[in-house]
Amino acid sequence: MLKSKTFLKKTRAGGVMKIVREHYLRDDIGCGAPGCVACGDAHEGPVLEPQPLDPASSLCPQPHYLLPDTNVLLHQIVSVWRPGTWASVASSLRPPGSLETYVEQEQGENANDRNDRAIRVAAKWYNEHLKKMSAENQLQVVFITNDRRNKEKAIEEGIPAFTCEEYVKSLTANPELIDRLACLSEEGSEIESGKVIFSEHLPLSKLQQGIKSGTYLQGTFRASRENYLEATVWVHGDTEENKEIILQGLKNLNRAIHEDIVAVELLPRNQWVAPSSVVLHDEGQNEDDVEKEEERERILKTAVNEKMLKPTGRVVGIIKRNWRPYCGMLSKSDIKESRRHLFTPADKRIPRIRIETRQASTLEGRRIIVAVDGWPRNSRYPNGHFVKNLGEVGDKETETEVLLLEHDVPHQPFSQAVLSFLPKMPWSITEKDMKNREDLRHLCVCSVDPPGCTDIDDALHCRELENGNFEVGVHIADVSHFIRPGNALDQESARRGTTVYLCEKRIDMVPELLSSNLCSLRCNVDRLAFSCIWEMNHNAEILKTRFTKSAINSKASLTYAEAQMRIDSATMNDDITTSLRGLNKLAKILKKRRIEKGALTLSSPEVRFHMDSETHDPIDLQTKELRETNSMVEEFMLLANISVAKKIHEEFSEHALLRKHPAPPPSNYEILVKAAKSKNLEIKTDTAKSLADSLDRADSPSFPYLNTLLRILATRCMMQAVYFCSGMDNDFHHYGLASPIYTHFTSPIRRYADIIVHRLLAVAIGADCTYPELTDKHKLADLCKNLNFRHKMAQYAQRASVAFHTQLFFKSKGIVSEEAYILFVRKNAIVVLIPKYGLEGTVFFEEKDKPKPRLIYDDEIPSLKIEDTVFHIFDKVKVKIMLDSSNLQHQKIRMSLVEPQIPGISIPMDTSNMDINEPERKKKKLEK
Amino acid sequence: MAGLELLSDQGYRVDGRRAGELRKIQARMGVFAQADGSAYIEQGNTKALAVVYGPHEIRGSRARALPDRALVNCQYSSATFSTGERKRRPHGDRKSCEMGLQLRQTFEAAILTQLHPRSQIDIYVQVLQADGGTYAACVNAATLAVMDAGIPMRDFVCACSAGFVDGTALADLSHVEEAAGGPQLALALLPASGQIALLEMDARLHEDHLEQVLEAAARAARDVHTLLDRVVRQHVHEASILLGD
């Protein structure tokens, strides 16, 4: 049957447009219940369970399907969707196009009412339909709605209908589901004091109007970590001024939560404020402290410096909520028997959430996940409901889970669909695999990796040719041979983006069979590889570059130490060793040339934990050592990446996936220059080359660690390197490597970007065929965005994992005193670095319950004078380290000053645990 | 702006059709008495009228006459009220001229022009309501009109459009689907032989998908053929009754 919709619309130019649309009503949509004779095989797609499980509901004892209305489905999915505990949900509503259930909007009926009626008609239709189907086992459809009128009407029409709450409460078998019910604002308001705290959010249409006319600004809401009463809004769009707007005070924040897209109204200039430097945490338990809150807000405002005033605004409406389930802990209510409790998220930028639960005592001291349901105008905190219990606080498994969740790292085991695309074992290279592939199994290839590495993605070889030149090959695991574009495996890897290395765990990007076996270039097995082969002369100048897919058989998997030993020992003269020596020689030349061009050698403290093999507790910390062989492998990887980048950009100028590292703005270097000046050194920052040179010169014989410190500081000044699509950008320069073009090719097992680069290169050399997504620069740009995000998150997760393990380490070690250097000087604290552990920490000089010392901060030098002692950047101090577990949720390392001694500030030295040994100088390249 | 979901998860399009389904087609032949042949077609909300004059002597400059075949002259116009916003000029704009040329190409391939040397066949098509697939509707209407005029053709020319959304080829695009901006392909087919009279696409579509889209358009064109064939038979049946056979 044909229905047509007609409506009139006013166009932008002011004319009136008549729009007529057809709508075909179908008679072939099945009910979705398998074994339904009436529908035959008309149904496809999602199917209902043949026999709904017995839900043990006291309200409707017979088996039934559930038909939730749209609101219930949106808000209560967590409580509704528990496989095995509930009757199956009629998962998809009948598409509105069905002939029998089509409902036309009546005169005077609004769209919502029509939809409600349509759902009722569908429920009625289902009940009649199912009756026809089987007489003996009476199946029923139960309608779940939270709308009172809708429910009344449904019952009038003879449809069994309940509100969500009634139904869940009737489930005798699963009482814990009640906690999962999202609490609804309607009921909440009855109990709450009627006092309205927040002003109303404007409707979306008004917001859009306001944004268009410029009265409101749209931006992303970013709450401050330090001060819960303050936030900034990053305004989207091209207006250069007012990029960032400050919001201060609970009322101006107006219920926005971190990451929401909000509309802000600028306040008049006389109400502008300066960002406060006060640290404020929300600690109130009660609702009534709104007045106190206002007091606190006033405190914020008093400390205002005229010059520092920034544009200030208030939130007028929310354009898009970006809520996700939050991890955190329950702070149990003081009132006994109370079911309402506050939940404190682990992320300090998220406000506390009020939840209702009966299991408070079991949830205390555990990490839980809570979802936000809403934030009514009269409530100090948003309302939420309990979702999941992760486990004990401080437990290693739980904490790892929390940090993965908080950093949005996909870490679930691979699904069956993904695994189905893995090659079948036992696997061997077949005739078909060898098509378009060169057999390089005779070459003497070897791999050099850190100890314990199971995902070996690169191997090298070097041999002398008859004409006296060298042939050097870099062989990279051919992951793109196993991961074909577009399938579930590919999509999952693209989503994960990168392998995440935590201290005791690795979250793989590709399933283990590939990462540790088929794609890992282990020794003495045939493996598929993608090879980049150069012919070089003795000056390491490239004469010829060639790319090919290949099959290799690695002769040895070495660790850096083993390789170094082979190179150094005079007695060994086998093929592998000669090959390594050749590589090492060339690498040195390459490195020298690269540094001459202005590549930076930067440093960042990095540590490795020695784990106890039984308990997996860290027993010792060790800073990473770097050998010649590390830089040998690195040099060739850089060379391969650069060669590939040139090739794919030449072939695909519009859609090559490249990596760039923008030059930092000069202002970033200010702190470095100032710090160096205080030690009478000059750092030039106009080009990468001059920076590298001045860093090399910056050495003081009396203070050998100074150079490393300067390099650590320089690393902090850098920008983040990012992936991008060559067609969307025209600045390709890689600042840190001083290369005009760069990409990632050498680690396809642990980075998805490399897989794409492999595919591009394969197409470029005619070894593989292309596919549409590969040549779509917008899709590629989207992919880059995800990859950059995942890389950043992986980095944060890694850091968080190190921090957690450092805590565990110091927990077992007790209180330790160590030597440290001052990295930064702040107004009321100094940031120090302990070279022995690569640990960075802050020493505060103001404590809550102690008298404030006299602090004088000088911004120019930077220095901090406490009583009579002056602290400069890079000064050597001695600090005591201990674990502060006063706050269970955020355990942290606390440092306090031991030397130089300042009466009243520093604490007496404790010599029992001292061992002073200057750590080795170490260098680390900045992230390529 | 959030794009319109052209294809739902269940596989339905905006107007309730499945990917390969045509819109409702209704057609009539012999709608005008004074023309040699005429036809009217509705494909969903797209409505087109075609009239055919000829073969007759060359009008205007004699120099245009072709010594070995008939000249096919096509003119396309669309009514000012055919689109959502009123049009200024019913014909003679760039789009109309292009459409006229395409129709001419299509019908030169289908009509046995060598049977009428030095003569002219005029095909005038007018779109009364445009709701996507105007070219297809014009071709289908014109086929019926040419048949009504009794001009010999190799075969029916059946046309249909096809688009490509989310990895699925959609047949017979409506205006909403066209306006979404995806690739669109127009195909005119001689169904019996499977020969292509005209194939046109002016958007980017990856080579790998072309076959799939082409296949969808061809299948839809064959479906159109079944329907048009029925219309012709019905018309002949009615005419023969009137003639008193």
Side-chain angles (χ1 to χ4, degrees), chain A residues 1 13 26 152 203 429 540 577 666 740 790 890:
Chain A
M1 191 168 69
R26 310 191 64 95
E152 277 163 16
I429 299 178
T577 313
R790 294 287 180 207
H890 298 285

Side-chain angles (χ1 to χ4, degrees), chain A residues 305-340:
Chain A
N305 179 347
E306 280 298 318
K307 264 199 292 183
M308 303 284 281
L309 290 182
K310 290 249 176 84
T312 309
R314 66 181 193 94
V315 173
V316 289
I318 309 264
I319 293 162
K320 190 171 167 265
R321 288 287 194 187
N322 262 329
W323 291 340
R324 58 184 172 92
Y326 299 105
C327 293
M329 285 176 69
L330 196 69
S331 344
K332 216 173 141 195
S333 165
D334 297 335
I335 310 155
K336 260 190 190 171
E337 303 289 305
S338 166
R339 278 199 267 140
R340 289 163 175 270

Side-chain angles (χ1 to χ4, degrees), chain B residues 25-29 31 39-42 140-141 144 227-228 231:
Chain B
I25 294 185
Q26 279 178 313
R28 256 184 319 138
M29 291 169 76
V31 285
Y40 170 74
I41 196 164
E42 282 182 15
N140 295 336
L144 294 181
L227 291 167
L228 295 189
V231 172

